[in-house]
Amino acid sequence: MIGARSIAEPTIKDTVIHRMDPRAKILILISTVFVAVSLDNQKTMFLLFLIILSGFVIAKMPAIKIKTLVILLVLLIWGTIYSQALFYSQLPRTVIFTIIRPDFPVLGWLTGGGLFVYEEGLHHGAVQGLRSASILSLGLLMCWTTDSRDMLNGLVGLKVPYSVAFMVITAVRFLPIIITEVATVITVQRLRGFNPKKFGSGIIKTLLNILTPTLANCVRRTGTLAVSIQSRAFRANPDRTSLKKLEFSNIDKVMITVFVFAAISIVVIKLLYNMYTSGIYYTSSLRPVYAIAGGYL
């Protein structure tokens, strides 16, 4: 249970990433989302993914969180590539492997003309998988290296309404508690003779028995939290103070400038390139921009 809860809680250390201002982390995450969504080149996307993973090395993340990250990334990337390879619908597409032939009895008709693995689907799935993996990895790195109070101050510092920021942080704080409760319920079920890994009715019974006490405890905790914050006059004073004053360091300013500038540049270049390929707008003076977008982005 301790291991399951520690996965969701931040690990506070004295590294460069831990010392970064939470506002800088949020801005870097937003910039990276725009970059990841704009990129279509596999090599550039893989480079972005490696840069984000290097943050876990710099932050000296514990082994249990690295193991959790690897499991999530493998499931995410493999699932995306596999699904895109099978159900890629754009043209052209090249069949590299046949799973169900079109003339196979019953299954050929049920699958609408057979089931194939497409080469273009593999490439498209790789890009989509790396895109999702990059955003997931950076989000986890931000949550695992930032204390909840600092994250709340960071959201408020970025002009997010305090009530909204408080709800977001509260939801994040509830996550390790829910994980602990689920682990407790599974342990109790095992003591009562249930086998959570048994296929068929065993899994269904286990899921139903997990959902009921976990949901009941969440409702009870939510009511207690609501009474607690209302009794402390949550909305009595719109002007709030904080014990810790946030201040950007020189590293924060450099990182924010680099990521925001890169995000704006990539989005603008991709927009101009898409306008050129769609026949909306073209000018010969932007040929270097089109070459960069077509070759590297």
Side-chain angles (χ1 to χ4, degrees), residues 277-297:
T277 56
S278 302
I280 299 175
Y281 176 76
Y282 169 79
T283 175
S284 58
S285 59
L286 292 177
R287 286 179 178 176
V289 175
Y290 301 145
I292 293 174
Y296 301 100
L297 303 181

Side-chain angles (χ1 to χ4, degrees), residues 15-267:
T15 66
V16 175
I17 295 181
H18 286 84
R19 290 194 295 268
M20 287 184 66
D21 191 288
R23 295 171 295 178
K25 294 180 182 179
I26 297 172
L27 292 175
I28 290 173
L29 177 62
I30 296 174
S31 302
T32 305
V33 170
F34 279 99
V35 172
V37 171
S38 302
L39 290 178
D40 292 317
N41 187 280
Q42 295 181 20
K43 295 180 180 177
T44 308
M45 185 65 73
F46 186 65
L47 178 62
L48 174 66
F49 181 58
L50 292 180
I51 292 174
I52 294 174
L53 289 185
S54 65
F56 288 85
V57 179
I58 298 174
K60 300 178 181 178
M61 284 287 103
I64 186 172
K65 293 187 175 178
I66 296 297
K67 183 179 178 180
T68 304
L69 175 68
V70 171
I71 293 174
L72 292 176
L73 292 181
V74 169
L75 292 176
L76 176 63
I77 296 176
W78 178 85
T80 306
I81 294 178
Y82 186 71
S83 61
Q84 291 295 328
L86 292 180
F87 304 108
Y88 185 73
S89 59
Q90 299 179 17
L91 297 175
R93 53 185 181 181
T94 306
V95 177
I96 59 175
F97 185 75
T98 301
I99 298 177
I100 300 177
R101 297 176 61 85
D103 55 352
F104 195 87
V106 182
L107 290 180
W109 174 76
L110 289 176
T111 56
L115 192 59
F116 309 95
V117 175
Y118 299 103
E119 180 181 356
E120 290 79 4
L122 289 175
H123 296 296
H124 183 67
V127 173
Q128 296 294 334
L130 287 175
R131 178 176 293 139
S132 303
S134 300
I135 297 173
L136 173 66
S137 302
L138 188 56
L140 288 176
L141 179 63
M142 186 183 71
C143 292
W144 285 344
T145 58
T146 309
D147 184 74
S148 299
R149 294 180 181 178
D150 293 339
M151 187 66 70
L152 177 62
N153 292 336
L155 291 173
V156 175
L158 292 175
K159 306 303 180 184
V160 176
Y162 187 85
S163 57
V164 176
F166 182 80
M167 285 190 292
V168 172
I169 299 304
T170 302
V172 174
R173 292 279 295 177
F174 259 75
L175 186 59
I177 297 174
I178 294 175
I179 292 176
T180 304
E181 289 183 350
V182 170
T184 303
V185 173
I186 292 176
T187 302
V188 172
Q189 289 189 7
R190 284 178 173 172
L191 294 175
R192 296 179 60 188
F194 285 98
N195 183 7
K197 297 180 180 178
K198 183 180 179 181
F199 287 100
S201 60
I203 292 180
I204 297 176
K205 289 181 180 178
T206 301
L207 292 177
L208 291 176
N209 291 330
I210 289 175
L211 180 63
T212 304
T214 304
L215 183 61
N217 279 333
C218 287
V219 173
R220 180 177 58 82
R221 290 181 186 277
T222 303
T224 304
L225 177 64
V227 173
S228 176
I229 61 177
Q230 289 298 335
S231 64
R232 298 184 183 186
F234 180 72
R235 297 177 181 273
N237 190 353
D239 298 327
R240 294 180 176 274
T241 58
S242 176
L243 292 176
K244 185 176 180 180
K245 185 178 180 182
L246 298 179
E247 186 174 357
F248 287 118
S249 64
N250 292 331
I251 296 178
D252 295 332
K253 295 177 182 176
V254 172
M255 294 293 290
I256 292 173
T257 303
V258 171
F259 275 85
V260 172
F261 178 76
I264 294 175
S265 301
I266 291 175
V267 170

